[in-house]
Amino acid sequence: MSQENKALFIIFGGTGDLAKRKLYPSLFRLFRKGNIREHFAVIGTARRQWSNDYFREVVAESVASLNPTKEDLDEFVSHFYYQAHNVDNTEEYQLLGQLADSLDQTYDLNGNRLFYLAMAPRFFGTISQHIKSENIMTEHGFNRLIIEKPFGTDYKTALQLNEEISASFKEEQIFRIDHYLGKEMIQNISAVRFGNNIFESLWNYKYIDNVQVTLAEAVGVEERGGYYDQSGALKDMLQNHILQVVALLAMEAPTVFSEEAIRAEKINALKSIRIYNEEEVKENFVRGQYSAGRLADTEFTSYNEEPGVDPNSQTETFLAGKFLIDNFRWAGVPFYVRTGKRMTEKGTRIHIVFKSTPINIFRDSNDLDSQLPENVLTIYIQPTEGFSLTLNGKEVGDGFNIDPVRLDYRHSQDNLYNSPEAYEKLILDCLKGDATNFTHWDEVANSWKIVDGIKETWEKETTPIPHYPAGSMGPECAFELLEKEGHKWIWEPDAWYKNQGLLD
Ligand code: BG6
């Protein structure tokens, strides 16, 4: 059994989707491993009038797929309490405070409190302010605030939101979730880079030709059309997840592997990303929206027919772009990124494309310019997890032909099954007070500064948004973006489907 942590969790938005899909199952896994066991309690709050019993039933249902024993389940849900709550009503915070104090006593929680705001950001300010003014924070334990994205809609609104929260919580008490940072293979980026001299010594403009980051999703907007239509891929995926991945790939080696040292290097990396003017945005970023499409036997409707989406919407469900990082390590190396909904396959992959050898000594005398295939290091983030490296070798047999081979390592199914889910890891980190895998305000601020220029340029755009058929890997312009620089996307899951006639 792991070491037990003592804490009271107060979950605002306790009846919501995130709580049911992610938070309660994560808490249950932590319970089963002993990270929380006897000395914990959870207060779920939301506007609805639920009883403790009903709340416990909902929690039990949300962890059912984890196959709990009856004994474990009964014990686990007995730690859950529900309190109906209107976030604007001061008196109700006092009731919440009383319940918190009494649970603190009952379960001997040492005054440790974790406030989880699983709600729309417009409520963050008022909730955090009331937590402080109504004394729901304790003096003798820890008080930590976990918040979900989106953190603002641009730099200005993010700053304002941060000021509201910071009036009650200090930066070291604020844990901004980016669930990508809880993923096993995202954390593995640092291991690959800083644990292997064969890579770290080559990790710069001299040896790396380009870097490609793909966060592709096969799903459409599902039931989140209303939210997504206001957000789009830029704010939903690039401002947070993609820029975090780029920062981890681009940062300098920290002197030690500590929260402060890693953070400082990530912030430096983000500060080095070139902020584009309007012309440069047009040159370096493209967007798209999915139209109806077919992949194998499945037909998909277009984005603008999804529930909750404006039929004339110009919101991007796809984007691709090139970042440049203006420092000694990366001068001139393109970092290509792309993300989208309704793409061919779900897959998050990073490709580090190394420069070819200076001369191809195996070339044909009729083709003196021919180059050897580049070495590519691939980091598979999800759904498959692992690494591969392509190398050039000699083709077996007569003559002397070069044949690329791939060294491939994937985590086994057992590893995948046992590996903790992102939210589970992040909640545990927060219990331990480790903010390494959370986003500091300085990171949020710099990410918005990078994104704002792109957002403003697109808002001014008068030509209709380019479309791509659902099931494809994005609009034409996303391929041209690389082609014009003599590059191409390494990952082409659409190629197989096209060859088979399963994708137009
Ligand atoms: C979320 C976005 O942050 O990440 C969603 O809001 C997206 O739109 C999701 O689907 C992707 O996460 P994952 O873990 O499935 O890659």
Side-chain angles (χ1 to χ4, degrees), residues 272-290:
S272 310
I273 295 180
R274 189 178 300 178
I275 295 184
Y276 292 137
N277 63 28
E278 218 174 296
E279 268 319 288
E280 290 166 328
V281 169
K282 290 185 179 162
E283 181 73 21
N284 294 311
F285 269 83
V286 298
R287 59 199 182 121
Q289 187 187 84
Y290 63 81

Side-chain angles (χ1 to χ4, degrees), residues 339-396:
T339 184
K341 302 264 183 208
R342 278 276 183 260
M343 294 174 71
T344 315
E345 224 174 79
K346 166 88 180 167
T348 304
R349 295 186 182 192
I350 297 165
H351 297 100
I352 311 294
V353 184
F354 291 89
K355 289 188 171 161
S356 299
T357 52
I359 284 189
N360 173 6
I361 60 163
F362 311 107
R363 69 197 186 280
D364 197 288
S365 54
N366 299 326
D367 185 8
L368 292 178
D369 288 335
S370 93
Q371 289 208 316
L372 287 169
E374 305 113 332
N375 302 121
V376 180
L377 169 69
T378 302
I379 307 179
Y380 301 91
I381 307 290
Q382 62 179 11
T384 171
E385 297 186 354
F387 319 101
S388 72
L389 181 64
T390 58
L391 299 176
N392 294 315
K394 179 188 167 296
E395 194 179 66
V396 177

Side-chain angles (χ1 to χ4, degrees), residues 4 22 43 55 60-61 74 84 99 111 127 269 298 319 371 378 384 430 445 466 496:
E4 187 185 354
K22 299 287 184 188
I43 304 178
F55 182 43
E61 211 171 284
D74 289 348
L99 177 59
I127 297 175
T298 317
L319 63 79
Q371 289 208 316
T378 302
T384 171
C430 183
W496 182 86

